[in-house]
Amino acid sequence: MEQRGGSRRKGDGVPKENSPFINNTDNDKGNSYDGTNMALFEEEMDSNPMVSSLLNKLANYTNLTQGAQEHEEADDDEGPKKKAVKSPQMGTFMGVYLPCLQNILGVILFLRLTWIVGTAGILESLAIVCLCCSCTMLTAISMSAIATNGVVPAGGSYYMISRSLGPEFGGAVGLCFYLGTTFAGSMYILGTIEILLTYIVPKAAIFVAEKKEDEVEALLNNMRVYGTCCLALMSIVVFVGVKYVNKLALVFLACVILSILSIYAGVIKTIFEPPDFPVCMLGNRTLQNHNFDSCLKTEVIDNLTVTTKLWQLFCKGPELNATCNDYFDNNNLTLMQGIPGLKSRVISDNMWSEYGPIGMKVESNKLDSDPVGDTSQDIYMPYVVNDIATFFTLLVGIYFPSVTGIMAGSNRSGDLRDAQKSIPIGTILAIATTSFIYVTCVVLFGACIEGVLLRDKFGDSVKGNLVIGTLSWPSPWVIVIGSFFSCCGAGLQSLTGAPRLLQAIARDGIVPFLQVFGHGKANGEPTWALLLTAGICEIGILIASLDAVAPILSMFFLMCYLFVNLACALQTLLRTPNWRPRFKYYHWALSFLGMSLCLSLMFICSWYYAIVAMVIASCIYKYIEYRGAEKEWGDGIRGLSLNAARFALIRLEEAPPHTKNWRPQVLVLLNVDSDQGVKHPRLLSLTTQLKAGKGLTIVGNVLEGTYLTKDAEAKKAEQNIKSAMSAERTKGFCHVVVSSNLRDGFSHLIQSAGLGGMKHNTVLMAWPGTWRQSNDPQSWKNFIETVRETTAAHHALLVAKNVDSFPTNQDRLGEGTIDVWWVVHDGGMLMLLPFLLRQHKVWRKCKMRIFTVAQMDDNSIQMKKDLQMFLYHLRLDAEVEVVEMHDNDISAFTYEKTLVMEQRSQMLKQMQLSRTEREREIQSITDESRSSIRRKNQDATQSTDLSRQSSQMEDTQEDEAQLIHDRNTASHAAINDKADTGPERVHMTWTKDKLFTERNRNREMNANVAVRDLFNMKPEWESLNQSNVRRMHTAVKMNEMVVNKSQGAHLVLLNMPGPPKNRGGDENYMEFLEVLLEGLNRVLLVRGGGREVITIYS
């Protein structure tokens, strides 16, 4: 446990999760146990502390308070200088309820809610409010369940999501939450500037529109300039003194509460004395009341009728006979009370929506109007018009930010006395309170304020007053000043919180390119993160429109809330043992409803913003999955993967896979050296090329010994194999087994590797190239037993010879061939393997050639046609060649090969003799072999050379055996060459006449050879096992054909003959295979598993 804790990378999760528990035993090493009551457990005290010690640690466990030092790295860096952390003291009201209230109530309530009510009508506004508040309430229920399922350290919402959904989702959602918080900062700053320039000091505008149609552009440019200055100022405040921001939070909250109270006070006052805010109407159109005092066309001064300022706005001069706008001439001016009060029954007029395009004039249905034909000059007239096109979904996107901020309590989890109790109660109460405020405000606004004033977004008809301010008591300035400071405070809070969130993500190490943002000032202040936050915030400010920025941050917050609901639903459905929330009033159906609502709202607000947000989240997810650090946080997605895997495995076991679904699920039998290093890494390369990342790969290894003594070596071997798999890009599992002997270990692997329906069906191993030189015959016996057990288990077997010469994954083989020698049909593996290899870029340029062997009685031409048709139906592109094997008599070379093989077998059986007896036995075998060679070959030079070689005897019997083999091979090279020039040469095309002619000619020649051989029969040949002679004959003939045709091929695939049923001939079997493969570089011996693996059917 100690090693595991020490090896963890810095920033790997939050050690606070583990610190009070059993793997934090570093400080206890010196405290040896001296008691007698627990002596039975005294040897385990280091790893398993006593319960009293554990409980003491738990009792002293506290979270870091929220602030600069809010991550575990601060603990690591401070060392002995670390100061004692104060115990958090904040309760539900101060720690959760009020922060949530402050974050939820804000700029949209003061600047846009009246306009939303006027545009959407009371009923649709209530639908918008209920939709958004339901979404946040359901999310709060899910969040409460997650927050009460264990200790939530400082970091709040990001911590909860990442630990519940894993690093990929955690990083994606964390960054979305960060972007949402950052754009919220933009929105609050824009709200601050809008209040400043529109309602407090309009004359401070730098850009002033000379024409009415340029007013919108001038306003946006003013917002950009002042917004940038405000952002720079706020960033400096946050950088210099973040503690002052936290201290001012209560002041800003007081502003919000006072503003709300003044609204309710103003509503009550309208019952008795409605405020006097008249709206000037021309016909049924609302006029902007900036440049005139009286709502009259003319007025009488000193008995003279003179025109008013309003006249001059619609006419070409102040004269009574001046040409005026037609609509102005035909309609009367009316003063309408903007706030008639609760008793006025205006609520019935405001019940329904009034959507319209950009530039639509704000009109009243109560007044008559005499329309005119020409409206081209209306854009220059002082009418109140829609500055944007309005529709239901747009209003949802603009309104939703006013219900965000529900995470404020969980973000302060480090400061709470009892986070598990305070977060659910405080958050849900805050949402209930704000929902009540919003619902009542919608109804009261609709019941007190005239519809034309509600739809006047900037209060142009009431001399530029804030519309909600006209309702408040005692003065509109209460709302104006209160909302100004509220927006300032919210902007500062966003610029304070967002960099810390980014710092938390960066310090977790899950997004490599964000590492730089984990650093900051000496006290941990996130300087670099603050700079990035200010940069992103500036993008929102350059957009300059509050109505355009609001849907953007709605997307990111909705994405975050969606995944909170998903996390809760997953944990509930998976029934993870660790899922034990103290908050009991949750259900997976509520979480799914919340998740669906979030998704629906995303597309309702803006379908293109929703797609962009999802693409950003998906890109972050894939990036973390591909490049991010691997974390194990016990997250729900991993639990979901386990459940899905279990379900899939159970389904797979119901029936064996159909031939169409068959693919090699490979068990790679890998060997390691004495230092547990991988011997043949190219075996893994071949696996990768064969699999291309698909299907199951299990890399197995066996260590000889007992598990108790070889535990460390097994782990080291496993690590080395995993490293090799990573280097060779082999995706799969590693399985190291410790067994009393290698044979049993490999047997156990073949039998038990895999799980359920996900078991291997193919075994891949390397050819034991040094089996002749080995002191221990067990090496090749293990190989043969593995072949037998693979056959018994009905698994396919692939044996790679000269595996170290196979190409790596970086190699690109040029033009060449993969040659398949199809001697016997064992399920179609020989056809399938080249196709799979050619899918990989290493073998892509290689062509496939298929050779099949015809006997004398076979029709070669028909065989070739049939094979071509078979390949056509299999959809495989390959050249086809039929090679004919003659019924030739067995050559002298074959007899000699067999003789040497049997002599070697006889020699190896003497392994148990004493050294003296062994040397004498080897000498007698050598002398006998040498005399046989002399009788056969009369060449004096070769004889002398062989005598000289035979005098250089080695002490070990295996070297002697190799020497015998080499001498005999060399001595028969000439005979072999002569044999090649005779009638045994292969003919590719046969006709019936040619067949009979060739057969008769061969009979005559073979009869002569047989008579000659009969007289020259060697005494040693008479005692040879004729079965071995026949097998050796096949191996020699096959080898001649394969070498002749495929020596230049990049890879040769060949049917692997099965081992003999009688174990006494095992060493002969190895010799047969050696002869069969002699002279070939890259060979893959293939043995089918007894089932069809390729089909012509769709």
Side-chain angles (χ1 to χ4, degrees):
M1 300 295 281
E2 185 184 0
Q3 289 177 351
R4 193 178 308 158
S7 63
R8 183 184 52 230
R9 290 174 49 190
K10 187 175 181 181
D12 192 10
V14 179
K16 290 294 181 188
E17 296 173 74
N18 301 325
S19 59
F21 299 99
I22 55 177
N23 55 349
N24 187 29
T25 58
D26 299 336
N27 299 327
D28 304 330
K29 298 297 180 189
N31 304 331
S32 58
Y33 180 72
D34 297 326
T36 56
N37 291 337
M38 295 291 172
L40 189 60
F41 300 97
E42 62 186 7
E43 291 184 357
E44 299 178 347
M45 286 297 174
D46 283 345
S47 58
N48 301 336
M50 289 179 62
V51 173
S52 58
S53 171
L54 173 67
L55 294 177
N56 183 44
K57 288 180 185 177
L58 281 171
N60 294 328
Y61 173 56
T62 59
N63 284 316
L64 286 172
T65 55
Q66 183 127 6
Q69 301 281 1
E70 64 179 12
H71 254 259
E72 65 277 7
E73 285 77 13
D75 296 344
D76 300 336
D77 296 338
E78 284 180 302
K81 297 180 182 178
K82 189 170 72 172
K83 297 178 182 177
V85 178
K86 291 181 180 179
S87 179
Q89 292 298 324
M90 296 182 76
T92 304
F93 187 74
M94 290 295 293
V96 181
Y97 181 75
L98 290 182
C100 282
L101 215 62
Q102 180 190 358
N103 278 266
I104 294 172
L105 298 171
V107 61
I108 300 295
L109 169 65
F110 301 124
L111 296 184
R112 293 290 182 270
L113 190 57
T114 52
W115 173 71
I116 289 172
V117 174
T119 306
I122 293 173
L123 291 178
E124 291 187 28
S125 298
L126 285 174
I128 292 172
V129 171
C130 291
L131 204 62
C132 297
C133 291
S134 301
C135 177
T136 52
M137 180 61 83
L138 291 170
T139 303
I141 291 171
S142 299
M143 186 190 71
S144 300
I146 297 171
T148 58
N149 186 52
V151 179
V152 179
S157 53
Y158 161 69
Y159 179 90
M160 287 190 303
I161 296 166
S162 61
R163 269 52 176 186
S164 295
L165 289 177
E168 293 89 0
F169 276 111
V173 179
L175 285 174
C176 281
F177 191 47
Y178 162 74
L179 290 171
T181 309
T182 306
F183 276 106
S186 300
M187 185 185 73
Y188 290 127
I189 291 172
L190 289 172
T192 304
I193 302 305
E194 186 176 311
I195 293 167
L196 181 72
L197 293 181
T198 310
Y199 307 114
I200 299 179
V201 279
K203 294 181 179 178
I206 298 172
F207 300 93
V208 180
E210 295 179 0
K211 299 178 182 178
K212 183 178 180 297
E213 59 269 24
D214 297 333
E215 286 179 357
V216 174
E217 191 62 35
L219 176 64
L220 294 180
N221 287 330
N222 284 319
M223 299 279 275
R224 290 182 181 111
V225 173
Y226 276 97
T228 303
C229 296
C230 184
L231 172 63
L233 188 63
M234 285 185 175
S235 300
I236 292 169
V237 171
V238 171
F239 178 75
V240 172
V242 68
K243 57 185 178 182
Y244 301 113
V245 175
N246 291 327
K247 287 180 179 178
L248 287 171
L250 279 177
V251 176
F252 299 137
L253 177 61
C255 292
V256 174
I257 293 173
L258 282 175
S259 301
I260 301 289
L261 291 176
S262 73
I263 293 170
Y264 283 112
V267 169
I268 294 169
K269 184 175 177 291
T270 63
I271 300 173
F272 314 106
E273 186 184 347
D276 183 27
F277 283 99
V279 176
C280 187
M281 308 289 296
L282 177 62
N284 64 350
R285 298 178 182 177
T286 312
L287 298 179
Q288 293 183 356
N289 191 357
H290 289 300
N291 300 318
F292 61 90
D293 298 321
S294 57
C295 186
L296 298 168
K297 293 183 180 179
T298 60
E299 58 185 349
V300 177
I301 301 176
D302 297 331
N303 294 324
L304 291 174
T305 302
V306 295
T307 58
T308 60
K309 291 182 179 179
L310 183 59
W311 176 282
Q312 297 174 30
L313 294 174
F314 285 91
C315 301
K316 294 183 178 179
E319 300 83 12
L320 288 169
N321 60 354
T323 305
C324 295
N325 180 271
D326 291 341
Y327 189 84
F328 182 75
D329 285 336
N330 297 343
N331 291 277
N332 297 322
L333 288 166
T334 312
L335 269 180
M336 179 185 287
Q337 194 54 255
I339 304 177
L342 275 176
K343 291 182 178 180
S344 64
R345 297 183 181 178
V346 73
I347 189 170
S348 58
D349 299 324
N350 294 329
M351 200 64 75
W352 311 109
S353 61
E354 290 282 349
Y355 301 120
I358 186 171
M360 187 186 84
K361 288 171 278 295
V362 175
E363 299 174 342
S364 171
N365 296 326
K366 295 179 182 179
L367 301 176
D368 295 328
S369 171
D370 185 8
V372 293
D374 184 17
T375 59
S376 58
Q377 298 301 310
D378 287 354
I379 59 171
Y380 306 110
M381 301 298 124
Y383 296 127
V384 177
V385 296
N386 285 352
D387 64 328
I388 57 172
T390 53
F391 40 90
F392 179 79
T393 56
L394 172 80
L395 298 187
V396 174
I398 292 174
Y399 173 76
F400 188 81
S402 65
V403 297
T404 59
I406 62 171
M407 299 287 191
S410 62
N411 287 342
R412 294 167 177 264
S413 55
D415 297 334
L416 300 173
R417 190 182 307 118
D418 185 358
Q420 298 193 18
K421 178 183 176 184
S422 298
I423 289 175
I425 296 173
T427 305
I428 290 172
L429 276 179
I431 292 173
T433 305
T434 52
S435 299
F436 173 78
I437 290 171
Y438 284 130
V439 169
T440 54
C441 281
V442 166
V443 175
L444 293 175
F445 291 165
C448 294
I449 306 175
E450 192 63 55
V452 289
L453 182 55
L454 284 173
R455 295 200 296 280
D456 184 2
K457 185 187 288 186
F458 300 108
D460 291 321
S461 60
V462 285
K463 294 189 180 295
N465 276 303
L466 181 61
V467 175
I468 197 172
T470 60
L471 182 63
S472 64
W473 180 86
S475 166
W477 286 101
V478 176
I479 290 282
V480 172
I481 301 300
S483 59
F484 178 78
F485 282 112
S486 168
C487 291
C488 277
L492 283 170
Q493 292 284 356
S494 296
L495 287 177
T496 306
R500 279 167 176 68
L501 181 59
L502 182 62
Q503 187 182 45
I505 297 169
R507 285 186 169 180
D508 259 346
I510 57 174
V511 186
F513 71 82
L514 291 180
Q515 294 286 355
V516 65
F517 299 109
H519 309 297
K521 293 196 292 187
N523 65 343
E525 286 291 336
T527 312
W528 293 108
L530 178 62
L531 285 173
L532 180 66
T533 303
I536 297 173
C537 210
E538 178 64 18
I539 295 172
I541 286 167
L542 291 176
I543 294 172
S545 170
L546 189 70
D547 303 322
V549 172
I552 296 175
L553 68 103
S554 294
M555 287 305 123
F556 291 121
F557 277 119
L558 280 166
M559 182 82 74
C560 177
Y561 296 165
L562 184 148
F563 283 106
V564 170
N565 285 299
L566 175 63
C568 180
L570 272 184
Q571 299 277 26
T572 309
L573 286 174
L574 293 176
R575 296 177 183 171
T576 314
N578 191 50
W579 179 246
R580 303 184 299 274
R582 290 192 178 279
F583 180 78
K584 301 297 181 186
Y585 306 102
Y586 68 93
H587 193 270
W588 63 266
L590 291 177
S591 299
F592 267 117
L593 182 61
M595 189 176 70
S596 306
L597 205 52
C598 289
L599 192 62
S600 303
L601 282 172
M602 285 177 71
F603 283 93
I604 286 172
C605 294
S606 172
W607 64 267
Y608 45 88
Y609 278 156
I611 291 172
V612 169
M614 287 179 170
V615 167
I616 290 172
S618 302
C619 290
I620 297 168
Y621 178 95
K622 295 307 291 182
Y623 176 79
I624 295 173
E625 186 180 55
Y626 180 66
R627 292 291 306 276
E630 293 183 6
K631 306 286 181 184
E632 176 48 71
W633 287 336
D635 51 87
I637 295 297
R638 188 170 179 82
L640 179 65
S641 301
L642 288 170
N643 264 26
R646 178 182 61 85
F647 177 76
L649 286 171
I650 291 171
R651 288 288 303 274
L652 278 174
E653 204 169 20
E654 291 175 0
H658 190 273
T659 302
K660 289 185 286 187
N661 293 327
W662 194 96
R663 67 175 65 210
Q665 317 281 17
V666 182
L667 169 64
V668 184
L669 298 181
L670 208 59
N671 291 324
V672 295
D673 53 28
S674 56
D675 294 327
Q676 279 69 53
V678 176
K679 273 189 178 178
H680 302 296
R682 296 290 175 86
L683 213 54
L684 297 174
S685 304
L686 177 61
T687 308
T688 304
Q689 294 155 23
L690 189 64
K691 306 282 293 174
K694 305 293 190 297
L696 174 72
T697 301
I698 303 172
V699 181
N701 172 249
V702 178
L703 297 180
E704 199 165 4
T706 62
Y707 186 69
L708 292 178
T709 58
K710 296 277 187 177
D711 178 32
E713 291 180 29
K715 286 181 179 175
K716 183 180 177 184
E718 187 170 352
Q719 286 301 320
N720 290 343
I721 292 173
K722 284 182 177 177
S723 299
M725 289 172 69
S726 176
E728 299 296 339
R729 297 180 183 175
T730 306
K731 296 179 181 178
F733 309 99
C734 176
H735 196 176
V736 176
V737 172
V738 181
S739 178
S740 56
N741 60 72
L742 295 178
R743 180 177 176 276
D744 288 348
F746 284 125
S747 177
H748 294 156
L749 274 176
I750 291 170
Q751 292 176 60
S752 62
L755 182 64
M758 201 66 175
K759 292 179 73 71
H760 60 277
N761 55 28
T762 305
V763 177
L764 173 62
M765 57 195 301
W767 171 260
T770 59
W771 69 275
R772 281 182 173 137
Q773 290 81 19
S774 176
N775 290 325
D776 184 10
Q778 205 60 40
S779 62
W780 53 265
K781 287 185 177 179
N782 286 339
F783 171 79
I784 296 175
E785 288 302 315
T786 304
V787 175
R788 285 196 176 102
E789 286 174 355
T790 305
T791 305
H794 300 291
H795 295 329
L797 176 65
L798 309 177
V799 179
K801 188 195 175 194
N802 297 331
V803 70
D804 293 328
S805 68
F806 275 62
T808 65
N809 291 326
Q810 285 70 42
D811 293 338
R812 299 291 179 270
L813 296 180
E815 297 293 333
T817 60
I818 300 175
D819 286 1
V820 177
W821 284 85
W822 192 22
V823 181
V824 294
H825 179 64
D826 54 0
M829 276 287 285
L830 281 169
M831 307 290 184
L832 189 60
L833 291 175
F835 170 77
L836 295 175
L837 283 173
R838 289 179 62 214
Q839 304 304 304
H840 197 275
K841 48 195 171 186
V842 172
W843 303 90
R844 192 161 290 156
K845 293 183 179 179
C846 296
K847 293 181 179 178
M848 179 176 167
R849 292 195 303 180
I850 296 182
F851 298 91
T852 189
V853 178
Q855 300 298 318
M856 288 290 291
D857 296 332
D858 294 328
N859 186 338
S860 305
I861 297 173
Q862 189 60 41
M863 274 182 71
K864 184 172 183 178
K865 288 181 180 178
D866 292 344
L867 183 53
Q868 286 173 335
M869 182 57 67
F870 182 54
L871 290 176
Y872 175 77
H873 286 307
L874 287 176
R875 290 92 62 203
L876 296 175
D877 295 325
E879 294 179 18
V880 175
E881 207 166 327
V882 178
V883 180
E884 291 143 350
M885 182 180 281
H886 296 269
D887 290 336
N888 291 340
D889 286 338
I890 298 169
S891 66
F893 175 65
T894 302
Y895 277 111
E896 285 298 333
K897 277 275 189 185
T898 312
L899 175 64
V900 172
M901 178 186 73
E902 292 198 355
Q903 288 172 341
R904 185 177 188 281
S905 300
Q906 180 186 353
M907 177 190 68
L908 292 174
K909 287 174 184 174
Q910 309 300 320
M911 298 288 273
Q912 304 302 321
L913 300 176
S914 66
R915 181 178 179 83
T916 308
E917 291 172 328
R918 197 160 63 231
E919 287 177 354
R920 188 167 56 249
E921 183 71 21
I922 291 171
Q923 185 63 48
S924 64
I925 293 171
T926 307
D927 292 343
E928 188 177 349
S929 175
R930 189 171 58 217
S931 63
S932 167
I933 293 166
R934 282 187 184 134
R935 283 198 302 273
K936 180 161 181 64
N937 190 350
Q938 299 300 320
D939 188 282
T941 307
Q942 188 126 1
S943 232
T944 307
D945 183 50
L946 291 173
S947 300
R948 180 170 48 80
Q949 289 183 33
S950 66
S951 65
Q952 299 170 353
M953 296 288 290
E954 300 289 340
D955 289 338
T956 57
Q957 68 277 17
E958 65 273 10
D959 290 344
E960 193 64 56
Q962 183 63 38
L963 198 61
I964 295 168
H965 171 72
D966 292 344
R967 280 199 301 266
N968 281 281
T969 304
S971 65
H972 297 313
I975 299 172
N976 195 21
D977 290 340
K978 290 174 186 175
D980 283 346
T981 61
E984 295 166 17
R985 181 172 299 279
V986 173
H987 292 272
M988 287 310 303
T989 306
W990 292 86
T991 61
K992 192 170 182 181
D993 295 338
K994 189 175 180 182
L995 176 67
F996 285 119
T997 307
E998 187 67 27
R999 186 177 290 172
N1000 292 332
R1001 189 162 66 107
N1002 282 343
R1003 278 176 184 164
E1004 293 171 5
M1005 292 181 68
N1006 290 342
N1008 295 335
V1009 171
V1011 171
R1012 192 165 61 248
D1013 282 349
L1014 188 64
F1015 288 107
N1016 298 329
M1017 180 70 75
K1018 308 298 184 291
E1020 296 89 343
W1021 295 359
E1022 296 170 1
S1023 61
L1024 292 178
N1025 184 326
Q1026 291 306 305
S1027 174
N1028 287 343
V1029 173
R1030 288 198 310 275
R1031 287 189 172 91
M1032 183 63 77
H1033 173 67
T1034 304
V1036 170
K1037 295 294 294 177
M1038 280 293 299
N1039 179 256
E1040 285 177 13
M1041 288 191 299
V1042 174
V1043 169
N1044 182 36
K1045 294 287 184 182
S1046 302
Q1047 196 163 23
H1050 285 316
L1051 179 65
V1052 176
L1053 282 83
L1054 192 63
N1055 282 116
M1056 182 178 184
K1061 294 180 180 178
N1062 177 16
R1063 281 178 167 77
D1066 283 356
E1067 63 272 23
N1068 298 341
Y1069 173 69
M1070 297 296 288
E1071 285 284 358
F1072 294 146
L1073 292 182
E1074 278 287 4
V1075 171
L1076 182 62
L1077 305 178
E1078 199 170 358
L1080 297 172
N1081 184 21
R1082 295 185 196 128
V1083 183
L1084 195 61
L1085 288 172
V1086 181
R1087 186 162 173 76
R1091 62 160 295 168
E1092 292 293 331
V1093 301
I1094 194 166
T1095 177
I1096 64 174
Y1097 299 106
S1098 62

